[in-house]
């Protein structure tokens, strides 16, 4: 044990040396020679000494001198690279706090601001204590410093504090990750307004490097774009920070550049990893273990990650290299000195052992899996759920997979269960960032749900497997719909007027906030658009922040009356019992698909019996993926001729690949109706048109007389079925706004006869302003029971939020704008347009992003939409028959929209040439009137097209292309 007197003598000696010359070259050798005295007692000694000496100094100048020396001492000990680094930071923080008792803001504003800035740095890099608390302390210190260090008075210091603040936001635990990173990027960009390359090259380069790291971690916008931004920033940095002039900063930039290359999406994966390894090896030329032990360990850990992922060379050699690098890192990253990096490296080592266990034989593999389990378990001792929920979930995730491979199924189940609960907790913490951040979180953890489903099936937990399937699907829309009708309790209000005002404001905010979030996401979807629309982005951010502040203020007002009310609630997963309750009777079955990594599952659920399961072989999934590739490749061709001609035969083949015969054997014989819940790419397909086994002239529709309807997920179906709406008596229609759809007018003018009242915006009157901004039309839209859009539509595969319906003057009603519509009286939206039912199939989390989702959120429980670019004449006949069937169904029941649509589809498919001619005779006066309005050239084209249809024998619309493209989604 160190003698306190000896320790005090050392401290006083250090202060005397610093007072004479605070240079690290002078101070650090003395510290290095007395490392044993910088122990846990030193902090208390420093505090005791200060409280004894400083108050008894008779002259303010002496107190100032002592405070100045302690401040300089704190600077030196904070940066001292030897000894116990965690303890060094504690000593520095204590010294800064002591100095702050003398250098107050009122008496010494400049020194106080500098002290706050340095104290913020100490908290930002502090090792002990909760990471979240340290970050908040650091942010508070930097913000305090900026009260004095304004841009006008101290521009350079202001810029440097902005940089420091950006670094803390980059690593902040509390709040939403997306918001924190946007805050960080904003801080760096603010600092760069002062620190230009010409005036402050070194600071400019440092800011570029920090900005690069923030872009690398950024959640909003495409990951590929962010990484390219990061790589560009780091490269810019290296133009200034050369190895010769700035060896340490050069090496740290090489480290950051290596990190960006290791995650890079563009280019060849192998090339990027080789680039990353090269950068890390360059960094080690300067960042040696002796001079920079902590950074050296970080590089060793990152080299381990790169070799684990490396493609070039033997996989076994690369994994063994990775394990060696991780062990090297652990020579410095001890649990005592660096608990969090230690836990991170244990986690990475566990992953490497898991990979290696899959390469070695069973005996060695079991030993390696045990090592992996040990590493993950040790990491969990530090990375607790409360402090590090993301890391905790990751460790539980990999621990579950290690148990799964080791056939310890119950332990795997519990690990996955903990991981999923934590991921869903993290999801609940994302409030301000919108759907994009939540979608990325869901995609990141998709394999966790897949693993849990497999474990549940192995343990015989069939109903739990279905529940976890549901928990992985369409969560964004589920949450939006579930919270849409959440209101405070009227009983707590003094009067009805105040209650109604609050409810109206809630309704408005719940429409406007998601809309603004989507508009902002669209503007920052790429680097080019972000640069092009920078001013508009800032304006949108301002508008969104204003709405969120209004929401928070409103919530405070409501909570004064109803303290239990929240703007959003955590949506509970749907239990299996509630899934069964979705089925109206014992003559209805629900068929749900789920795609795993190597096969797909088909669950068959009925009202009264236990669920049944059909599992494919790996070859079936390979065949399905090949089928889908060919289908989409042909559909992407401009004329789509080959796709149309092969659609029927392809649907026959899909029947075989999905093993429809085996599935139907599990559906009760008395079943009259089916609800289909597809997964991922299956959402794009007309599953209802698959041919029946051994009856290729019949399809799935023919087997179920009460129809086939679709649902994105069971929970979304539940939410739509809970929405009671008036029956279809009031129509609001959009009719041929672009004036180039010859049969849209025939369609709408015929349909409107089936309603008691109808308001139709015809051609040039169907503007966006009329639909959204005109108060009279807004009231009619709000009170309508049915919305019918006979217009052009388009699904934007690259940016689904930009999918649209085209209105007059070629104005686009985008998906983001559809979310803002108020159609809470609407029972049915019919999108008689092209590609209105397509969704984002690139999302492995199966988020339901497409035009139907917008109308479901806006208020309609049922949407009829199309899966491809539909034929205009066939669509007109199909829609006319659909509404005729719907009108005949005087009794409201679940599925009546699907029944009416399916009956119309079968009618159109089976329509004979003779019956078609009779229909034409009925509508010919209207058709001739429409054609007469066309120019001569267009009229000839339309007449020739009609002639080709009349020449098709024996059934003009027999091909699935003409009748199978529309589906009924919802109740």
């Amino acid at each position: 044990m160190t003698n306190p007197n000896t320790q005090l003598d050392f401290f006083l000696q250090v202060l005397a040396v610093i007072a004479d010359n605070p240079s690290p070259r002078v101070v650090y050798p003395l510290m290095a020679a007395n490392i044993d005295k910088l122990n846990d007692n030193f902090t208390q000694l420093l505090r005791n000494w200060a409280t004894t000496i400083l108050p008894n100094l008779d002259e303010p100048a002496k107190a100032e001198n002592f405070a100045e020396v302690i401040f300089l001492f704190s600077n030196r000990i904070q940066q001292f690279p030897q000894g116990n680094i965690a303890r060094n930071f504690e000593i520095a923080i204590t010294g800064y706090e002591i100095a702050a008792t003398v250098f107050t803001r009122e008496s010494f504003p400049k020194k106080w601001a500098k002290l706050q800035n340095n104290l913020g740095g100490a908290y930002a890099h502090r090792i002990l204590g909760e990471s979240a608390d340290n970050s908040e302390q650091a942010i508070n210190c930097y913000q305090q410093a900026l009260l004095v260090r304004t841009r006008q008075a101290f521009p350079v210091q202001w810029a440097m504090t902005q940089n420091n603040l950006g670094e803390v936001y980059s690593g902040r635990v509390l709040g939403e990750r997306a918001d924190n990173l946007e805050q960080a990027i904003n801080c760096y960009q603010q600092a760069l307004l002062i620190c230009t390359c010409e005036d402050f090259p070194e600071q400019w380069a440092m800011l570029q490097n920090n900005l690069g790291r923030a872009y690398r971690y950024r959640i909003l916008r495409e990951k590929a774009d962010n990484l390219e931004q990061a790589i560009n920033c780091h490269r810019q940095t290296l133009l200034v920070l050369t190895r010769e002039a700035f060896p340490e900063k050069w090496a740290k930039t090489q480290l950051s550049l290596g990190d960006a290359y290791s995650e890079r999406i563009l280019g060849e994966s192998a090339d990027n990893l080789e680039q990353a390894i090269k950068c890390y090896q360059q960094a080690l030329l300067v960042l040696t273990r002796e001079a920079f032990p902590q950074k050296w360990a970080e590089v060793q850990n990152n080299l381990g990650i790169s070799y684990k992922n490396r493609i070039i060379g033997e996989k076994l050699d690369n994994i063994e290299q990775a394990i060696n690098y991780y062990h090297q890192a652990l020579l410095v990253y001890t649990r005592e000195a660096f608990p969090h990096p230690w836990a991170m490296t244990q986690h990475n080592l566990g992953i490497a052992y898991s990979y290696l266990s899959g390469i070695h034989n069973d005996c060695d593999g079991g030993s390696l899996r045990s090592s992996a389990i040990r590493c993950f378990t040790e990491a969990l001792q530090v990375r607790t759920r409360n402090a590090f929920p993301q890391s905790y979930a990751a460790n539980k995730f990999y621990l579950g997979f290690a148990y799964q491979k080791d056939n310890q199924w119950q332990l795997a189940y519990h690990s996955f269960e903990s991981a999923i609960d934590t991921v869903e907790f993290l999801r609940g913490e994302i409030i301000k960032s919108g759907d994009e951040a939540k979608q990325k979180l869901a995609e990141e953890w998709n394999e966790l749900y897949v693993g849990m489903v497999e474990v549940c099936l192995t343990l015989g937990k069939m109903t739990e497997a279905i529940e976890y399937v549901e928990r992985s699907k369409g969560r964004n829309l589920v949450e939006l719909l579930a919270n849409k009708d959440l209101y405070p309790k009227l009983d707590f209000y003094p009067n009805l007027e105040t209650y109604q005002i609050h409810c109206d404001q809630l309704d408005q905010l719940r429409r406007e906030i998601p809309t603004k979030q989507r508009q902002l996401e669209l503007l920052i979807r790429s680097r080019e658009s972000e640069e092009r629309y920078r001013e508009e982005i800032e304006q949108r951010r301002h508008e969104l922040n204003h709405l969120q502040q209004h929401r928070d203020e409103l919530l405070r007002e409501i909570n004064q009356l109803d303290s239990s009310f929240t703007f959003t609630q955590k949506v509970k997963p749907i239990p299996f019992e509630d899934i069964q309750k979705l089925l109206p009777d014992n003559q209805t079955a629900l068929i749900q698909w789920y795609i795993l990594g190597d096969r797909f599952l088909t669950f068959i659920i009925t009202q009264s019996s236990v669920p049944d399961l059909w599992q494919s072989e790996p070859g079936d999934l390979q065949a399905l993926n090949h089928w889908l590739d060919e289908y989409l490749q042909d559909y992407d061709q401009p004329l789509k001729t080959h796709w149309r001609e092969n659609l029927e035969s392809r649907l026959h083949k899909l029947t075989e690949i999905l093993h429809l015969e085996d599935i139907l054997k599990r559906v009760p014989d008395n079943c009259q109706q089916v609800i289909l819940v597809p997964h991922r790419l299956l959402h794009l397909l007309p599953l209802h048109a698959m041919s029946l086994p051994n009856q290729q002239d019949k399809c799935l529709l023919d087997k179920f007389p009460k129809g086939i309807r679709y649902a994105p997920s069971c929970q979304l179906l539940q939410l739509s079925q809970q929405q009671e709406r008036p029956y279809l008596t009031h129509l609001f229609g959009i009719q041929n706004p672009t004036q180039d759809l010859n049969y849209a007018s025939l369609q709408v003018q015929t349909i409107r006869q089936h309603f008691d009242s109808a308001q139709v915006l015809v051609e040039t009157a169907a503007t966006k302003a009329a639909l959204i901004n005109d108060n009279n039309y807004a009231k009619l839209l709000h009170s309508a029971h049915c919305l019918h859009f006979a217009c052009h539509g388009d699904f934007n595969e690259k940016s689904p939020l930009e999918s649209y319906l085209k209105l007059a003057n070629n104005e686009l009603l985008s998906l983001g704008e559809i979310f803002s519509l108020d159609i809470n009286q609407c029972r049915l939206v019919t999108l008689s347009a092209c590609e209105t039912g397509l969704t984002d199939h690139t999302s492995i989390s199966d988020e339901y992003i497409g035009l139907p989702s917008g109308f479901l959120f806006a208020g309609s429980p049922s949407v009829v939409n199309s899966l491809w670019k539909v034929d205009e004449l066939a669509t007109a006949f199909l829609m006319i028959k659909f509404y005729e069937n719907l009108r005949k169904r005087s009794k409201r029941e679940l599925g009546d929209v699907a029944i009416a649509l399916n009956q119309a589809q079968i009618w159109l498919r089976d329509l004979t040439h003779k019956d078609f001619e009779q229909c034409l005779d009925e509508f010919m006066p209207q058709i001739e009137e429409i054609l007469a309005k066309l120019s001569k050239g267009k009229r000839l084209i339309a007449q020739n097209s009609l002639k080709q249809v009349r020449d098709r024998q024996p059934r003009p619309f027999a091909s699935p292309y003409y009748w199978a493209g529309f589906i009924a989604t919802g109740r």
Side-chain angles (χ1 to χ4, degrees), residues 363-405:
C363 181
D364 290 339
S367 175
L368 291 165
R369 280 193 294 274
S370 297
S371 296
I373 290 168
R374 173 183 54 78
C375 290
F376 295 134
T377 303
E378 290 189 355
L380 284 166
Q381 295 173 15
V382 172
R383 294 290 175 108
T384 61
R385 174 175 170 172
N386 290 338
F388 297 92
Q390 186 95 7
S391 296
Y392 173 87
N395 276 293
K396 281 289 188 179
F397 169 57
Y398 282 106
L399 182 60
F401 271 110
Y403 281 135
Q404 187 179 3
K405 290 180 181 178

Side-chain angles (χ1 to χ4, degrees), residues 239-354:
L239 295 177
V240 174
L241 299 182
T242 63
R243 180 182 173 187
E244 294 72 25
F246 305 96
E248 181 181 348
K249 292 178 179 178
W250 171 86
K252 290 178 179 178
T253 304
Q254 289 285 358
L255 170 57
S256 297
L257 183 58
D259 292 342
Y261 273 122
S262 69
E263 298 176 11
R264 194 185 194 197
I265 297 169
L266 301 181
E268 291 292 329
S269 177
D271 294 340
N272 288 329
L273 281 173
E274 295 309 301
Q275 285 273 34
I277 289 169
K278 181 181 177 182
C279 290
Y280 294 142
Q281 290 170 339
Q282 288 287 298
L284 287 175
L285 297 175
V286 174
L287 302 178
T288 63
R289 181 180 175 186
E290 295 71 29
F292 303 95
Q294 190 173 352
K295 282 295 177 184
W296 176 85
E298 182 180 342
V299 178
Q300 296 293 328
N301 177 72
N302 293 1
L303 274 168
I305 295 172
S306 295
Y307 272 102
K308 182 207 73 177
N309 297 325
R310 197 182 190 209
I311 298 171
I312 295 173
E314 291 292 329
K315 188 65 176 175
L316 178 61
D317 293 340
N318 288 329
I319 295 295
E320 289 177 343
Q321 281 269 48
I323 289 173
N324 177 64
Y325 281 118
Y326 292 140
H327 280 299
Q328 289 293 303
L330 289 171
L331 296 176
V332 173
Y333 283 162
T334 63
R335 180 175 178 181
E336 295 71 29
F338 300 98
H340 302 307
W342 172 84
M344 172 192 65
T345 307
Q346 290 287 357
H347 170 79
N348 293 338
L349 189 57
I351 295 174
Y353 278 132
S354 294

Side-chain angles (χ1 to χ4, degrees), residues 203-242:
Q203 289 83 354
W204 175 86
M206 174 192 68
L207 284 162
Q208 289 290 342
N209 196 40
N210 293 345
L211 188 58
R213 285 202 301 272
Y215 277 126
R216 176 179 152 236
Y217 294 127
R218 196 183 196 194
I219 295 171
L220 298 182
R221 218 177 68 184
E222 291 296 325
K223 182 69 171 176
D225 289 339
N226 288 327
L227 287 170
E228 293 310 298
Q229 284 271 50
I231 289 170
N232 180 63
C233 287
H234 295 318
R235 284 173 172 169
Q236 291 290 312
T237 303
L238 291 171
L239 295 177
V240 174
L241 299 182
T242 63

Side-chain angles (χ1 to χ4, degrees), residues 9 88 216 735 775 890 923:
D9 291 341
N88 293 346
R216 176 179 152 236
Q735 176 182 317
N775 289 332
S890 57
F923 294 118

Side-chain angles (χ1 to χ4, degrees), residues 18 36 73 168 175 233 325 345 383 493 673 696 767 774 870:
I18 289 175
D36 62 312
F73 166 74
V168 181
C233 287
Y325 281 118
T345 307
R383 294 290 175 108
Y493 275 74
Q673 179 185 188
Q696 294 201 351
T767 63
D774 188 293
V870 293

